[in-house]
Amino acid sequence: RAGLDGKQILCQLKEKARLRTLDGSEEPFSSLGWGRLVPPQALEKLPGAPFKTCAVVASAGAILNSMLGKEIDSHDAVVRFNAAPTESYERDVGRKTTIRIMNSQILTDARHNFSDSPLYRNVSLVAWDPAPYTADLYQWFQSPDYNLFTPYETRRKASPSQHFYVLHPAFIWSLWDVIQSNSQEDIQPNPPSSGFIGIIVMMTLCDEVDVYEYIPSVRQTSLCHYYEGYFDNACTLGAYHPLLYEKTLIRRMSRATEEDLKRKGKATLPGFHTVTC
Ligand code: NCC
């Protein structure tokens, strides 16, 4: 089977992976008053959007000693994931955070202290949770992987001016469908990683997206995260998430030089609205 080229994958994603957040118009959320709970402006209308240049910073240990901080901060918007800090890692990861994309464990696991930690203040937030593939919202609401709904409501009520969105499960699974359709093997029946989700969100919000240390550089290491001493190759290569397949797809769409890829772990992707299909 001849695979699609980078441009064709871009066009497939542009067509199939339409960014969608919960807007409170569907049950059971409409009856719960989420129409008034969610931010009035869509995620695509975030202040400053569409951004010219965006940086997506993967949490990989390999970004340590990269000296990429200044380059990352030079972008108009910077995306980080889960509990990844900037404090004391500025030289390598930068200090600016515009959007933080989090899986539902962050909102529910007391160790992350979502309600009080400064990591989740003064930035826009995007959360997601692995819903059933059918994206049945009733079923999901009754048994989410981690119950993000309650902390979401609490934060929206306490900080109504903070831009905070929950991704629609249909969006997450549309990404999975595109990854599967471009892979030779059956991939894990689990959602893509926050990293992949974040890249696609930013391809919707930006003219150009630079992704750092998602595709491993020459610094590739089994150190899972740059911010803690935990070692596991699965963090880079995948176990639960179809990470290897996601990364192959991003690699195929990247327009970065071989040199940037190797030295910086940098992939460069065009924003969807700049691509003519
Ligand atoms: O590890 P995690 O991801 O927070 O990393 C964010 C994104 O960076 C990319 N990454 C990370 C490490 C690495 N060595 N290489 C990478 O490319 C990935 O794209 C990753 O998505 C997640 O996707 O949400 C994940 O979250 C963690 C964990 O829940 C959070 O860090 C909170 O503690 C998951 N780990 C566990 O559940 C144990 C991880 O599987 C995926």
Side-chain angles (χ1 to χ4, degrees):
R1 180 182 70 172
L4 302 184
D5 65 25
K7 174 77 189 288
Q8 291 170 316
I9 300 169
L10 269 170
C11 286
Q12 189 190 4
L13 270 171
K14 179 176 175 166
E15 189 200 324
K16 303 247 160 90
R18 298 287 167 88
L19 178 57
R20 224 177 135 191
T21 59
L22 294 183
D23 62 6
S25 69
E26 292 169 283
E27 291 298 351
F29 300 102
S30 44
S31 293
L32 294 165
W34 277 43
R36 287 176 313 280
L37 184 75
V38 304
Q41 55 287 87
L43 176 53
E44 296 92 317
K45 297 277 158 63
L46 219 54
F51 303 103
K52 281 206 187 67
T53 62
C54 296
V56 174
V57 185
S59 307
I63 206 162
L64 280 181
N65 299 316
S66 67
M67 311 288 275
L68 284 166
K70 283 209 178 77
E71 175 171 330
I72 290 168
D73 281 345
S74 75
H75 293 78
D76 298 320
V78 178
V79 175
R80 303 183 193 277
F81 298 101
N82 296 319
T86 53
E87 202 186 324
S88 38
Y89 300 96
E90 291 91 346
R91 188 194 64 165
D92 296 329
V93 308
R95 56 178 74 246
K96 179 195 267 186
T97 306
T98 314
I99 304 178
R100 193 171 279 281
I101 300 192
M102 313 163 294
N103 72 47
S104 48
Q105 292 179 41
I106 296 293
L107 286 80
T108 51
D109 184 332
R111 282 171 298 183
H112 293 297
N113 195 9
F114 175 72
S115 56
D116 294 320
S117 165
L119 279 180
Y120 313 106
R121 296 276 169 200
N122 303 315
V123 296
S124 296
L125 297 175
V126 175
W128 70 275
D129 176 78
Y133 181 79
T134 56
D136 180 323
L137 299 183
Y138 283 99
Q139 220 183 311
W140 181 40
F141 186 74
Q142 270 171 24
S143 52
D145 210 23
Y146 293 88
N147 181 5
L148 75 172
F149 304 115
T150 311
Y152 179 76
E153 285 191 348
T154 304
R155 173 61 67 92
R156 283 297 304 147
K157 286 175 183 157
S159 306
S161 65
Q162 182 175 34
H163 300 267
F164 187 4
Y165 302 86
V166 176
L167 292 172
H168 197 292
F171 169 66
I172 307 274
W173 287 113
S174 72
L175 302 182
W176 186 92
D177 287 338
V178 173
I179 300 166
Q180 176 64 83
S181 82
N182 286 288
S183 305
Q184 306 279 359
E185 295 130 62
D186 286 344
I187 69 170
Q188 291 92 321
N190 303 317
S193 71
S194 296
F196 187 82
I197 294 169
I199 293 167
I200 307 303
V201 168
M202 295 320 277
M203 287 172 76
T204 311
L205 266 56
C206 311
D207 297 353
E208 187 168 77
V209 183
D210 289 324
V211 183
Y212 293 94
E213 210 57 79
Y214 175 70
I215 300 181
S217 69
V218 289
R219 290 179 302 273
Q220 182 168 355
T221 162
S222 62
L223 178 65
C224 182
H225 297 128
Y226 63 83
Y227 53 87
E228 58 189 5
Y230 169 68
F231 293 82
D232 184 355
N233 274 313
C235 297
T236 304
L237 302 175
Y240 173 82
H241 298 291
L243 210 50
L244 207 54
Y245 303 96
E246 303 170 9
K247 292 186 180 193
T248 304
L249 208 60
I250 296 300
R251 175 94 166 80
R252 285 160 72 186
M253 290 188 289
S254 174
R255 298 170 175 184
T257 63
E258 210 49 40
E259 174 76 6
D260 274 355
L261 195 62
K262 284 215 188 95
R263 297 272 148 230
K264 299 180 179 171
K266 177 177 177 179
T268 301
L269 304 162
F272 289 128
H273 74 93
T274 72
V275 180
T276 319
C277 293

